[in-house]
Amino acid sequence: MADVLTQGHQDNRLLAALPQDAFAAMSRELRQVSLAQGKSLFEPGAPLNEIYFPQSGMISLLVVTSDGRAVEISTIGREGAVGLHGALGERFSFTRAVTQIGGRFSTIPAGRFAQFVREHASVRELIVRYTELLWVEAQQIAACNAAHDGEARLCRWLLQTALRTGSDRLPLTQELIAEMLVVRRTTVTLLAQSLQRAGAIRYSRGHIEILDREKLKQRACECYSIIQHENLSLKTGVKLGNNAQSAD
Amino acid sequence: MPMYYFHLRDNEKITDVDGTDLVDLAAARTHADGVAQELMFKSTGILGEEWSKWTMVVHDGDGLELFSFLMSDAKNDNGG
């Protein structure tokens, strides 16, 4: 049972990247939870008192505007974690963190994780470098939302989501995608129809399946290749673990 | 609220299978303009032709065509 859980935790590539001694100590404190789609993990201003490492689902970080709209600035899947800054002292969330795709997650209280940060320089270094990686991604997505058309952003977002979750079958409604891309749902419906006719995807209510990754890549903006964490990791020095199978 | 369907037509047809609840025809026109703007924004079109050459055709829930316009004629947020 312990081996099964350890393997589950190391499905998260950040946890898999930890030195063996650090992970061995931390694994005793990690819990595995299943979270449904749409679960709010942090609201803006909330204390970062828990850290979430996705094993199979995906978390979106959303900036909430005064009129109630939520604009996605980053997605975190099995290659990352949410709430890491909570281990550096008392920290508060600037964004809403919500499970965009439900799944299995490893969690640890921020206070307990802080102990490992103090005891293991390698864990601290990983947080700093991963934060840099997220910052680069947020900058790129901000530029993408301003500069690129809906078609390119939809293709980029589908590829990115498949990469984060390790699956080409995505349980996503068009309403949700429209909210993430800040376009009308009708626009997503028409673009999805076009992509389906082109043989790139198949979709039914609430589900999208990527059929031809290359066709999506041809239509995606350059942001997709830039924000692939594998590419960013080379520039920021984050060494992701390889236990999880790559979707790309 | 009535349902409106926003299809695209050129040599081929792209169907809005879901439709959208909107309060009235004026809201449907505004919605159609917004969708056209979102599609045409720096886009060359998925099927290899520019979206601006496509026509948006809006139907009601009974399939009756209410209005249509060339995408390039869509009004932007500033009314232009």
Side-chain angles (χ1 to χ4, degrees), chain A residues 34-241:
Chain A
S34 293
L35 299 175
Q37 189 174 41
K39 167 80 173 171
S40 174
L41 306 178
F42 299 113
E43 289 295 321
L48 296 171
N49 51 14
E50 191 82 14
I51 298 165
Y52 296 86
F53 298 87
Q55 297 175 15
S56 61
M58 187 179 83
I59 298 168
S60 283
L61 299 184
L62 308 167
V63 171
V64 183
T65 60
S66 59
D67 61 359
R69 288 189 298 173
V71 180
E72 185 179 79
I73 53 109
S74 190
T75 59
I76 290 103
R78 65 209 167 114
E79 81 299 326
V82 170
L84 284 173
H85 279 90
L88 301 177
E90 190 178 33
R91 295 288 192 280
F92 299 91
S93 180
F94 287 99
T95 57
R96 172 182 292 162
V98 62
T99 53
Q100 211 60 274
I101 294 178
R104 288 179 291 111
F105 298 79
S106 300
T107 74
I108 185 171
R112 298 295 299 138
F113 190 69
Q115 180 183 336
F116 296 106
V117 172
R118 284 192 296 271
E119 293 174 353
H120 298 271
S122 58
V123 177
R124 190 163 56 247
E125 179 71 6
L126 198 64
I127 291 175
V128 170
R129 292 193 179 276
Y130 178 71
T131 301
E132 183 181 351
L133 184 150
L134 274 184
W135 173 235
V136 174
E137 179 181 318
Q139 291 176 82
Q140 193 67 38
I141 289 181
C144 184
N145 284 338
H148 296 143
D149 62 79
E151 168 197 332
R153 287 191 290 134
L154 174 61
C155 293
R156 182 265 295 167
W157 198 85
L158 291 174
L159 288 166
Q160 175 187 329
T161 302
L163 194 66
R164 299 286 189 263
T165 60
S167 173
D168 283 340
R169 296 182 178 183
L170 310 173
L172 297 164
T173 64
Q174 290 174 35
E175 288 87 346
L176 188 149
I177 295 172
E179 188 179 342
M180 293 306 101
L181 298 178
V182 201
V183 296
R184 292 164 177 81
R185 193 199 61 177
T186 305
T187 302
V188 173
T189 298
L190 295 171
L191 288 172
Q193 285 276 356
S194 295
L195 288 173
Q196 182 162 262
R197 289 165 64 120
I201 66 168
R202 174 167 50 222
Y203 86 92
S204 57
R205 196 169 293 276
H207 288 87
I208 290 181
E209 181 179 4
I210 295 175
L211 300 177
D212 191 328
R213 192 177 288 267
E214 285 307 312
K215 285 182 178 173
L216 285 182
K217 284 181 181 176
Q218 288 166 11
R219 291 164 169 82
C221 50
E222 74 269 18
C223 299
Y224 170 64
S225 63
I226 294 171
I227 64 176
Q228 283 187 63
H229 282 180
E230 276 73 6
N231 290 349
L232 284 179
S233 68
L234 296 175
K235 296 173 184 169
T236 58
V238 175
K239 291 182 175 60
L240 298 171

Side-chain angles (χ1 to χ4, degrees), chain B residues 12-52:
Chain B
E12 303 180 66
K13 186 176 180 183
I14 298 174
T15 306
D16 174 12
V17 293
D18 298 319
T20 303
D21 284 322
L22 294 163
V23 290
D24 56 20
L25 190 59
R29 286 186 186 278
T30 301
H31 187 83
D33 284 331
V35 171
Q37 291 294 335
E38 288 171 354
L39 287 173
M40 289 193 302
F41 176 65
K42 297 179 181 178
S43 178
T44 53
I46 280 177
L47 299 179
E49 295 180 53
E50 293 183 10
W51 287 117
S52 60

